[in-house]
């Protein structure tokens, strides 16, 4: 199973969600494009937060120095992101692929994050509650569906808002994989606890036709 993790915006909790999914499935992890924080990248964070010995962390296709939109970070580095150079790593294991920001974050003049999503990927959207997040969540899901793709599940991150979550789930008819509370910290033990909670819903995703 290949799972693509995207968010409704930046800083909504994609990497924490990805680490939980990786730990839960003992999956491999790949972030195609890393922009900035190369010494403490999302790949580094995933490695530090999981505790199983099976997961493999694959190299980024592009490592960009500036913490900015990939298209701008690439321009500053004097390179152009080419989708043909972003090659999915080969593995017999489950693979978790983490995007950057939201689905329309630009990679170059023509392509965006959504263009990385392949038809066989199970898409998980990470949503976090803030003023405007309902709109951002519904727009993200509608845009994915307009591409002929489907969202396999949603993860809510941060403080609980039952009304907002119920509305989103009712409007979209998407399965909730789980919710990640505002924790004081996320270490291997906390990630493992969430991994146990999410496991059944993640394996159910494998059986779905999406």
């Amino acid at each position: 199973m290949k799972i693509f993790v995207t968010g409704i915006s930046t800083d909504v909790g994609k990497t924490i969600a990805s680490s939980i999914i990786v730990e839960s499935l003992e999956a491999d992890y790949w972030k195609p494009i890393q922009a900035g924080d190369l010494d403490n990248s999302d790949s580094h964070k995933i490695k530090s937060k999981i505790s199983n010995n099976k997961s493999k962390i694959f190299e980024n296709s592009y490592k960009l120095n500036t913490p900015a939109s990939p298209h701008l970070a690439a321009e500053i580095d004097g390179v152009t992101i080419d989708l043909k150079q972003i090659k999915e790593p080969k593995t017999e294991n489950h693979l978790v692929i983490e995007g950057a920001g939201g689905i329309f974050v630009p990679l170059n003049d023509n392509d965006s994050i959504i263009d990385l999503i392949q038809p066989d990927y199970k898409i998980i959207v990470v949503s976090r509650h803030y003023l405007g997040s309902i709109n951002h969540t519904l727009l993200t899901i509608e845009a994915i569906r307009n591409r002929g793709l489907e969202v396999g599940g949603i993860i809510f991150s941060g403080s609980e808002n039952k009304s907002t979550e119920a509305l989103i789930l009712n409007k979209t008819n998407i399965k909730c994989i789980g919710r990640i509370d505002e924790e004081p910290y996320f270490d291997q033990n906390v990630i493992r606890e969430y991994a146990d909670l999410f496991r059944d819903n993640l394996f159910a995703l494998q059986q779905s036709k999406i």
Side-chain angles (χ1 to χ4, degrees):
M1 176 167 57
K2 300 169 187 176
I3 295 176
F4 191 95
V5 180
T6 190
I8 63 169
S9 184
T10 190
D11 294 328
V12 296
K14 288 191 307 300
T15 303
I16 292 296
S18 295
S19 65
I20 292 168
I21 299 167
V22 167
E23 180 68 14
S24 184
L25 301 176
E26 296 187 328
D28 294 341
Y29 172 84
W30 178 46
K31 177 141 185 165
I33 302 165
Q34 175 71 38
D37 298 324
L38 297 185
D39 293 331
N40 187 31
S41 68
D42 290 341
S43 295
H44 286 101
K45 292 171 184 172
I46 295 287
K47 188 173 183 179
S48 72
K49 285 178 169 54
I50 63 174
S51 52
N52 80 83
N53 296 317
K54 185 177 179 181
S55 295
K56 179 177 180 180
I57 312 295
F58 288 103
E59 283 290 316
N60 311 110
S61 297
Y62 285 92
K63 293 181 179 180
L64 307 170
N65 290 292
T66 306
S69 174
H71 81 291
L72 177 59
E75 183 180 318
I76 293 170
D77 282 2
V79 299
T80 300
I81 294 174
D82 182 354
L83 291 188
K84 294 177 182 177
Q85 299 303 315
I86 301 177
K87 297 178 180 177
E88 178 190 300
K90 297 185 184 302
T91 177
E92 297 298 317
N93 194 11
H94 300 298
L95 179 64
V96 175
I97 305 140
E98 183 181 348
I103 57 170
F104 285 129
V105 166
L107 303 180
N108 51 45
D109 289 343
N110 300 307
D111 304 309
S112 301
I113 289 293
I114 196 169
D115 296 301
L116 297 175
I117 302 176
Q118 301 301 312
D120 61 333
Y121 291 177
K122 309 285 188 178
I123 304 170
I124 292 180
V125 171
V126 181
S127 180
R128 188 177 185 89
H129 304 309
Y130 54 81
L131 189 62
S133 66
I134 296 175
N135 184 51
H136 291 165
T137 303
L138 298 179
L139 281 173
T140 296
I141 292 165
E142 184 163 326
I144 290 170
R145 288 173 168 170
N146 282 342
R147 287 290 185 100
L149 303 166
E150 188 52 86
V151 177
I154 189 166
I155 291 174
F156 292 107
S157 171
S159 299
E160 185 176 23
N161 186 320
K162 291 182 179 179
S163 174
T164 292
E165 292 172 21
L167 184 146
I168 290 169
L169 295 174
N170 288 335
K171 272 186 169 290
T172 62
N173 198 32
I174 289 172
K175 182 179 181 63
C176 179
I177 302 297
R179 66 171 345 279
I180 306 166
D181 293 322
E182 290 283 6
E183 303 286 353
Y185 54 84
F186 287 95
D187 62 7
Q188 290 185 351
N189 290 329
V190 175
I191 294 298
R192 195 182 305 116
E193 289 174 5
Y194 276 103
D196 291 341
L197 291 172
F198 285 23
R199 187 169 292 113
D200 286 347
N201 284 338
L202 288 168
F203 275 118
L205 188 63
Q206 186 177 16
Q207 305 303 320
S208 71
K209 295 180 181 179
I210 295 171

